[in-house]
Amino acid sequence: MTRETNRADRHAEFSLVSPQATAGAIVAEPATRPEKITADAVVLFLTEGGIGGGAAAELDRATGGLITRLAAAGEITGKRHECVPLLAAPGLEAGQLLVVGLGKREEVECGVLYRAAATAARHLAGRPRTKVVFVADGWWSARQVEQAVAGAAVGMVGQDLYRAEPRRIRFGATVWTNASPETVRTGATIADGVNLARRLVNTPPDDLYPQSFAEEAAAVAGRTGMEIEIWDEERLRRERCEAMLAVGRGSSRPPRLVILRYRGPGRDAGARSPRGDAPDLALVGKGVTFDSGGLSLKPSDSMLSMKCDMAGGAAVLAATATIAALRLPVHVVAAIGLVENMTGPAAYKLGDVITARSGTTIEVHNTDAEGRVVLADVLDVVRELQPRAIVDAATLTGACMVALGQDVAGLFSNDQPWCDTLAAAARAVGEPVWQLPMYADYDEHIKSEVADIKNVGDGRWGGAITAAKFLERFVGGIPWTHVDIAGPAFAEKSRPWTDGGATGAMVRPFVELVRGPA
Ligand code: BES
Ligand code: MN
Ligand code: ZN
């Protein structure tokens, strides 16, 4: 057994984030002559510009110019997401050579490589594969290799958690050549995070509810060495989390608040830091494990995908676990508000006035605007810890999807530099985000005649912004950015790079945010 294979086994066995999530070994191996590679498939990334030098030229030579001939005939173009399997290619021992397109070379960035590798992996994962070899190219940066590794490990995982005959079958082993073992390890860990978030979101709501989510979080915390606190109803009552409790009252599944803490190297308790012991960052997640709309009941069509309404919480848990598994030098606190929004006899009602933990009173105008009510208390809990900055992720409004579509997350902030930092991190890994305005005029829209504020804006316009304005009331002036992931968290349909369902949106951006620019 080679040293590399050893390392591979270690990754599979000790995947800190989520052993069930990715599975299979993911390893780096030194490049050998392409004709000698034994594998079910070899994956080659090809740009639109043609073969050039590097990996493509070598494989072209090994196959006696096959790629050149097919490119000349227009059978292979290198266009983005094009997948051309060359079965039993001459000169190769491998079962097939899969050529996947990268598009124009000058436009290749982390996000392009993540998706291209995921496309190839998703394609191959349609059948059982013992070993798949991905050939990284010499001109890619370490960050780009890492994101490609992550993409491949995400692409081979589907949403078919409950099918007797799964549509995607994970590879026995994934091998990357021309990549450093450390880069591959990091990429595989990031993929574990994305796949953990996806699994949690894809799990049906009767299996994943506040308490079972909290148990999952405890298991993850145990593996990655995070501290965890779980507040049950009694603790929530003692802590005056009446907003969270109100939303949870219509359900037979009581709410939970999960608080995770990770102290990286140099940021342990009592560390002599100029910043004292306050967290560097607080991540906050909306964890509505099912959103029926409550008494303001959703129509059936809109309710169908509402198991996804804890995607913000899943992203926050998975990103924090990944940050801990990578042992990044930060002090992060993560808080996830877990409730089920239902219509039971004790359900909160329209016209109710709730006193949130901060003392702000909220008049309920629509029980389907429950996410902001839950987050009011969660934000107040982290505000008390006085972190340097806050980010929250929430599948908060359909209005954000009306504004930006299904693939772009909305950003809202009280602090432009902090918002810019998060936007840069998201774009660096290829997740599109777009900022919406927070003009003071919108504050008028959530004023109530009866209480301090109401939980929906006047009329239906600007609904994503009035929701963000509501949240802003609870962050106490700390630099804060809200990410509305109602669109990108959950894909209605499959795409070349992913099966439909949960996407793991914002896991990679949050990890990137903590790492800082490469
Ligand atoms: N969870 C929904 C938002 C959502 C919609 C997420 C579609 C993912 C896909 C949220 O709780 C909600 O219902 N928002 C309402 C707010 C309205 C009542 C002011 C909405 O967007 O319709
Ligand atoms: Mn709702
Ligand atoms: Zn919701």
Side-chain angles (χ1 to χ4, degrees), residues 286 288 291-294 296 298 306 309 341 348 366-371 395-396:
K286 170 178 174 181
V288 175
D291 182 11
S292 72
S296 311
K298 284 183 184 297
M306 281 303 127
D309 215 16
N341 187 22
Y348 77 136
N366 190 320
T367 60
D368 197 11
E370 83 297 339
T395 47
L396 205 63

Short mmCIF file of all heavy atoms in Angstrom, two decimals, residues 286 288 291-294 296 298 306 309 341 348 366-371 395-396, ligand 2:
data_model
loop_
_atom_site.label_atom_id
_atom_site.label_comp_id
_atom_site.label_asym_id
_atom_site.label_seq_id
_atom_site.Cartn_x
_atom_site.Cartn_y
_atom_site.Cartn_z
N LYS A 286 -31.24 30.40 10.17
CA LYS A 286 -32.67 30.09 10.30
C LYS A 286 -32.85 28.59 10.17
O LYS A 286 -32.47 28.00 9.15
CB LYS A 286 -33.48 30.80 9.20
CG LYS A 286 -34.94 30.35 9.11
CD LYS A 286 -35.74 31.11 8.03
CE LYS A 286 -37.16 30.54 7.86
NZ LYS A 286 -37.94 31.23 6.81
N VAL A 288 -35.92 26.60 10.39
CA VAL A 288 -37.32 26.19 10.40
C VAL A 288 -37.38 24.83 9.70
O VAL A 288 -37.23 24.76 8.47
CB VAL A 288 -38.23 27.25 9.73
CG1 VAL A 288 -39.67 26.76 9.64
CG2 VAL A 288 -38.17 28.56 10.52
N ASP A 291 -41.89 24.57 7.19
CA ASP A 291 -42.67 25.81 7.20
C ASP A 291 -43.99 25.59 6.47
O ASP A 291 -44.05 25.68 5.24
CB ASP A 291 -41.86 26.94 6.54
CG ASP A 291 -42.61 28.27 6.57
OD1 ASP A 291 -43.65 28.36 7.27
OD2 ASP A 291 -42.15 29.21 5.89
N SER A 292 -45.04 25.28 7.26
CA SER A 292 -46.36 25.12 6.65
C SER A 292 -46.98 26.49 6.37
O SER A 292 -47.98 26.61 5.67
CB SER A 292 -47.29 24.34 7.59
OG SER A 292 -47.65 25.16 8.70
N GLY A 293 -46.39 27.53 6.95
CA GLY A 293 -46.97 28.87 6.91
C GLY A 293 -47.73 29.18 8.19
O GLY A 293 -48.08 30.33 8.45
N GLY A 294 -48.01 28.14 8.98
CA GLY A 294 -48.83 28.35 10.18
C GLY A 294 -50.26 28.66 9.77
O GLY A 294 -50.71 28.25 8.70
N SER A 296 -51.49 31.27 8.60
CA SER A 296 -51.45 31.89 7.26
C SER A 296 -50.91 30.82 6.31
O SER A 296 -49.84 30.95 5.70
CB SER A 296 -50.54 33.11 7.24
OG SER A 296 -50.82 33.99 8.31
N LYS A 298 -49.67 28.02 3.78
CA LYS A 298 -49.17 28.09 2.40
C LYS A 298 -50.04 27.21 1.51
O LYS A 298 -50.52 26.16 1.95
CB LYS A 298 -47.74 27.54 2.32
CG LYS A 298 -46.67 28.46 2.84
CD LYS A 298 -45.29 27.82 2.64
CE LYS A 298 -44.19 28.67 3.23
NZ LYS A 298 -44.03 29.98 2.61
N MET A 306 -40.77 22.97 1.56
CA MET A 306 -40.47 23.70 2.79
C MET A 306 -39.68 22.92 3.84
O MET A 306 -39.40 23.42 4.93
CB MET A 306 -41.72 24.33 3.39
CG MET A 306 -42.11 25.61 2.67
SD MET A 306 -40.75 26.83 2.68
CE MET A 306 -40.60 27.22 0.96
N ASP A 309 -36.42 24.83 4.67
CA ASP A 309 -36.43 26.11 5.38
C ASP A 309 -35.46 26.15 6.56
O ASP A 309 -35.39 27.15 7.28
CB ASP A 309 -37.86 26.42 5.84
CG ASP A 309 -38.18 27.91 5.78
OD1 ASP A 309 -37.43 28.65 5.11
OD2 ASP A 309 -39.16 28.33 6.41
N ASN A 341 -42.90 25.32 11.97
CA ASN A 341 -44.00 26.28 11.89
C ASN A 341 -45.28 25.56 11.46
O ASN A 341 -45.44 25.23 10.29
CB ASN A 341 -43.64 27.38 10.89
CG ASN A 341 -44.66 28.52 10.88
OD1 ASN A 341 -45.40 28.72 11.84
ND2 ASN A 341 -44.68 29.28 9.79
N TYR A 348 -49.44 30.31 17.18
CA TYR A 348 -49.51 31.78 17.31
C TYR A 348 -50.43 32.32 16.22
O TYR A 348 -50.59 31.72 15.17
CB TYR A 348 -48.13 32.42 17.34
CG TYR A 348 -47.34 32.59 16.06
CD1 TYR A 348 -46.67 33.79 15.82
CD2 TYR A 348 -47.20 31.58 15.12
CE1 TYR A 348 -45.89 33.99 14.69
CE2 TYR A 348 -46.43 31.77 13.98
CZ TYR A 348 -45.78 32.97 13.76
OH TYR A 348 -45.02 33.16 12.64
N ASN A 366 -48.73 38.06 9.86
CA ASN A 366 -48.73 36.91 8.97
C ASN A 366 -47.86 35.83 9.61
O ASN A 366 -46.67 36.07 9.84
CB ASN A 366 -48.19 37.33 7.59
CG ASN A 366 -48.39 36.24 6.54
OD1 ASN A 366 -48.21 35.06 6.82
ND2 ASN A 366 -48.77 36.64 5.34
N THR A 367 -48.45 34.69 9.91
CA THR A 367 -47.66 33.65 10.60
C THR A 367 -46.66 32.97 9.66
O THR A 367 -45.81 32.21 10.10
CB THR A 367 -48.56 32.57 11.23
OG1 THR A 367 -49.31 31.94 10.18
CG2 THR A 367 -49.50 33.16 12.26
N ASP A 368 -46.79 33.28 8.35
CA ASP A 368 -45.84 32.71 7.39
C ASP A 368 -44.54 33.54 7.33
O ASP A 368 -43.56 33.10 6.74
CB ASP A 368 -46.49 32.62 6.01
CG ASP A 368 -45.74 31.67 5.08
OD1 ASP A 368 -44.87 30.94 5.57
OD2 ASP A 368 -46.05 31.67 3.88
N ALA A 369 -44.55 34.71 7.95
CA ALA A 369 -43.30 35.49 8.05
C ALA A 369 -42.65 35.13 9.38
O ALA A 369 -42.43 35.98 10.26
CB ALA A 369 -43.60 36.98 7.94
N GLU A 370 -42.38 33.82 9.55
CA GLU A 370 -41.93 33.29 10.84
C GLU A 370 -40.42 33.34 11.02
O GLU A 370 -39.93 33.41 12.14
CB GLU A 370 -42.41 31.84 11.00
CG GLU A 370 -41.54 30.76 10.34
CD GLU A 370 -41.43 30.87 8.83
OE1 GLU A 370 -42.30 31.50 8.21
OE2 GLU A 370 -40.47 30.32 8.25
N GLY A 371 -39.70 33.31 9.89
CA GLY A 371 -38.23 33.24 9.98
C GLY A 371 -37.66 34.43 10.72
O GLY A 371 -36.81 34.30 11.61
N THR A 395 -33.41 31.18 4.58
CA THR A 395 -34.34 31.09 3.45
C THR A 395 -35.53 31.96 3.83
O THR A 395 -36.57 31.49 4.24
CB THR A 395 -34.80 29.62 3.26
OG1 THR A 395 -35.15 29.10 4.56
CG2 THR A 395 -33.71 28.76 2.66
N LEU A 396 -35.34 33.28 3.72
CA LEU A 396 -36.25 34.20 4.40
C LEU A 396 -37.46 34.62 3.58
O LEU A 396 -38.56 34.68 4.11
CB LEU A 396 -35.48 35.43 4.89
CG LEU A 396 -36.14 36.14 6.08
CD1 LEU A 396 -36.18 35.24 7.31
CD2 LEU A 396 -35.41 37.44 6.43
MN MN B 2 -42.88 31.20 6.09
#
